[in-house]
Amino acid sequence: MSTEEKRFSEENIVLQKGRRGAMKVIYGRTAVIALLFVIQILLMILLVDFFSQYIPVIFGGYMVFALYIVLIIINKEESPENKLMWTIITMLLPLVGGALYLYVEMQPGYRLLEKRLNNIYKRTEDYVKQDIAVMHALEEADKGTVRLARYVHKNGNFPVYQNTRVKYFPLGEDKFAAMLEELAKAEKFIFMEYFILKEGYMWEKILEILEEKAKAGVEVRVMYDGTCAMFDLPYKYPEELKAKGIQCKMFAPIRPILSTHYNNRDHRKILVIDGKVGFTGGINIGDEYINRVEKHGHWKDTAVMLEGDAVQGLAMMFLQMWNVSEKQVEYGKYLAKEEKDLQATGFVMPYGDSPFDDELIGETVYMDILNRAEEYVHIMTPYLIIDQRMITALSFAAKRGVDVKLILPHVPDKKFAFALAKNHYPALLKAGVKIYEYTPGFVHAKVFTSDDEKAVVGTINLDYRSLYLHFECGAFLYRVEEIENIEKDFQETLAKCQEITLENYKKGTLLLRIEGWLLKWLAPLM
């Protein structure tokens, strides 16, 4: 990159940060909290000045409202940590806490989205079915893994496949090169679904190919999360792409003040080409993901490319999200598997997670790996904001002699998230979990490997948002040859890390530890 290009990129980042801060205030939950807080203060002033004789009655009603909200919170099926957070907020500031809880947790618009998605899930069951022969083969290979596959299929309709080649990419640059190569081969359709899509070198190169393909008659669909309109793209950017012959939409476009963009976002990263090739992993569309722009030191990210039968699973997930806002839908021609013997070993299970299906599929897959591991579980994750269930699973695995290692960033992208991650270090270290920080920069990879037999590469972080609130996806691999390369990459990344012990943790920044301790009760919001 030339000096001029680098200077332009750095100026762009500064401008984006300024815009991001302003837009968060306008569009985000901060504005709602501030408004509710001001209303509560004004009400208290009115109580003192004008209604002093009615204060006991009004205060009593105030507390009854708080108690009513707390009872709703306690009786809702969700994590104890989430219940505790909302209970504290509501009891401290009844109006702010109660109104914010109703605003965030009981959104009418999202109830409609839930209904629509559940209908779509049922419709796609007719097009994507589990191959019984594959399930029998997996049962012969490992009864524990076939039980996991049955659970995922029953609760999410995500089949397990054979006849699928897997290619692992240890860096965003590697995936980007493969993306361009595969996009250039497209003949029928291209599906792209990304949490973040930013203008820059990476997107320009992809867009050049998409425009060419659209002109040649290839059906091109692009979908990105609505938060991109806050930080990275013009609000009417879908119209710009449509003028180029590319179908485009935002998932859950944001609205000023009334938006709850922090919750239930489309955090998936999926690319499907002709139903033959599919990509997923942690890499979004933006120059920092391919280290063309330095944001938080070296950006470590990963992805996988699937070729063969399992691509059907990624195509199904894309179509489910795309068709949320479509009246006329078609699945059949996009979900047909190509009859081609690829002579690939092992089993591949692409799967998704939805905040509306009452199943924590993403967390359950991780927990199953931890609970059944015999030799090791090696993890890369950008965040460590977890509940007691995950702490117990990590700790129990380590206590029974499994080598549990976590690689986390040394250079954080979010200070609060970094402080909360540090807050979990002592308990995990005491249990025997080994923690490492990637000293060259930021780890954005979401990877599990275990016992040279299992791996997951996808979008699911070890944090509340990924595990409970967002739409996510991943690829579970069992006895696939490429697992060897995934574990090799873990070891090579480990060589660039510094180990965190209780001793050097205690020598760390006291302010950061205090910050994490104070913020822990707010972790479900982070």
Side-chain angles (χ1 to χ4, degrees), residues 182-358:
E182 296 300 327
L183 284 168
K185 300 175 186 175
E187 297 176 346
K188 297 176 182 177
F189 63 86
I190 297 169
F191 295 159
M192 294 185 67
E193 177 184 353
Y194 283 85
F195 178 55
I196 292 173
L197 192 159
K198 295 182 181 181
E199 293 180 301
Y201 176 82
M202 185 180 187
W203 176 235
E204 285 173 8
K205 292 297 180 185
I206 293 170
L207 186 57
E208 284 176 12
I209 299 175
L210 297 185
E211 288 186 63
E212 289 174 9
K213 291 299 176 180
K215 288 175 183 176
V218 175
E219 182 180 356
V220 182
R221 301 187 194 182
V222 175
M223 180 165 62
Y224 56 87
D225 190 75
T227 51
C228 291
M230 291 170 57
F231 311 138
D232 307 309
L233 294 171
Y235 193 84
K236 294 189 176 180
Y237 192 67
E239 301 304 319
E240 293 184 29
L241 292 190
K242 286 173 187 175
K244 300 175 187 289
I246 297 168
Q247 298 179 57
C248 181
K249 63 174 67 175
M250 289 188 281
F251 173 80
I254 55 177
R255 301 287 185 268
I257 301 297
L258 298 178
S259 171
T260 56
H261 67 272
Y262 286 109
N263 288 356
N264 311 130
R265 305 314 309 179
D266 183 0
H267 193 245
R268 295 174 178 176
K269 294 94 181 168
I270 293 173
L271 170 61
V272 176
I273 301 165
D274 292 344
K276 297 178 181 179
V277 174
F279 293 79
T280 190
I283 300 157
N284 283 297
I285 307 299
D287 287 354
E288 64 267 37
Y289 296 91
I290 58 172
N291 285 295
R292 192 168 179 87
V293 169
E294 185 175 304
K295 219 174 170 188
H296 308 289
H298 183 263
W299 193 286
K300 167 66 180 175
D301 220 329
T302 61
V304 286
M305 180 176 75
L306 310 181
E307 181 185 0
D309 291 359
V311 178
Q312 183 192 56
L314 294 176
M316 178 185 71
M317 281 187 266
F318 173 87
L319 289 167
Q320 286 172 340
M321 294 298 278
W322 180 272
N323 288 330
V324 164
S325 58
E326 295 293 311
K327 292 181 180 178
Q328 300 294 324
V329 299
E330 186 173 1
Y331 296 103
K333 71 176 183 179
Y334 304 111
L335 295 177
K337 288 189 292 185
E338 186 180 52
E339 297 299 326
K340 184 179 179 182
D341 185 5
L342 296 175
Q343 298 295 314
T345 62
F347 301 84
V348 180
M349 182 172 65
Y351 64 96
D353 203 354
S354 163
F356 298 143
D357 59 9
D358 297 322

Side-chain angles (χ1 to χ4, degrees), residues 50-294:
F50 302 107
F51 301 105
S52 56
Q53 59 182 322
Y54 301 112
I55 283 179
V57 175
I58 296 172
F59 182 76
Y62 202 56
M63 295 311 296
V64 167
F65 171 72
L67 181 60
Y68 170 69
I69 298 297
V70 168
L71 288 173
I72 292 175
I73 294 167
I74 290 172
N75 284 283
K76 192 173 181 186
E77 292 185 10
E78 57 186 4
S79 70
E81 289 84 357
N82 205 43
K83 290 182 181 182
L84 178 62
M85 176 197 70
W86 283 116
T87 299
I88 292 172
I89 293 173
T90 301
M91 294 309 295
L92 285 174
L93 298 168
L95 179 63
V96 172
L100 186 62
Y101 180 79
L102 294 174
Y103 164 71
V104 170
E105 299 290 332
M106 298 180 154
Q107 311 156 53
Y110 278 71
R111 298 291 76 81
L112 293 173
L113 177 58
E114 177 182 15
K115 184 178 179 180
R116 175 68 174 154
L117 276 170
N118 286 335
N119 287 335
I120 288 172
Y121 295 154
K122 285 185 173 62
R123 291 189 66 179
T124 49
E125 287 177 7
D126 296 332
Y127 298 93
V128 178
K129 297 184 181 295
Q130 177 62 65
D131 186 324
I132 302 303
V134 173
M135 196 64 90
H136 285 327
L138 182 57
E139 186 170 21
E140 289 181 10
D142 184 66
K143 292 188 183 298
T145 301
V146 82
R147 291 191 186 101
L148 175 65
R150 284 176 184 148
Y151 161 80
V152 172
H153 183 251
K154 179 182 177 181
N155 293 283
N157 191 40
F158 301 111
V160 61
Y161 300 85
Q162 289 180 293
N163 195 39
T164 303
R165 288 190 192 132
V166 180
K167 173 68 176 174
Y168 174 73
F169 303 106
L171 289 172
E173 300 92 297
D174 303 325
K175 184 215 174 183
F176 178 48
M179 281 177 73
L180 296 180
E181 184 179 336
E182 296 300 327
L183 284 168
K185 300 175 186 175
E187 297 176 346
K188 297 176 182 177
F189 63 86
I190 297 169
F191 295 159
M192 294 185 67
E193 177 184 353
Y194 283 85
F195 178 55
I196 292 173
L197 192 159
K198 295 182 181 181
E199 293 180 301
Y201 176 82
M202 185 180 187
W203 176 235
E204 285 173 8
K205 292 297 180 185
I206 293 170
L207 186 57
E208 284 176 12
I209 299 175
L210 297 185
E211 288 186 63
E212 289 174 9
K213 291 299 176 180
K215 288 175 183 176
V218 175
E219 182 180 356
V220 182
R221 301 187 194 182
V222 175
M223 180 165 62
Y224 56 87
D225 190 75
T227 51
C228 291
M230 291 170 57
F231 311 138
D232 307 309
L233 294 171
Y235 193 84
K236 294 189 176 180
Y237 192 67
E239 301 304 319
E240 293 184 29
L241 292 190
K242 286 173 187 175
K244 300 175 187 289
I246 297 168
Q247 298 179 57
C248 181
K249 63 174 67 175
M250 289 188 281
F251 173 80
I254 55 177
R255 301 287 185 268
I257 301 297
L258 298 178
S259 171
T260 56
H261 67 272
Y262 286 109
N263 288 356
N264 311 130
R265 305 314 309 179
D266 183 0
H267 193 245
R268 295 174 178 176
K269 294 94 181 168
I270 293 173
L271 170 61
V272 176
I273 301 165
D274 292 344
K276 297 178 181 179
V277 174
F279 293 79
T280 190
I283 300 157
N284 283 297
I285 307 299
D287 287 354
E288 64 267 37
Y289 296 91
I290 58 172
N291 285 295
R292 192 168 179 87
V293 169
E294 185 175 304

Side-chain angles (χ1 to χ4, degrees), residues 267-269 280-282 446 457-461 466 471-474:
H267 193 245
R268 295 174 178 176
K269 294 94 181 168
T280 190
K446 306 96 166 55
V457 180
T459 69
I460 308 168
N461 300 317
S466 274
F471 293 91
E472 303 281 358
C473 66

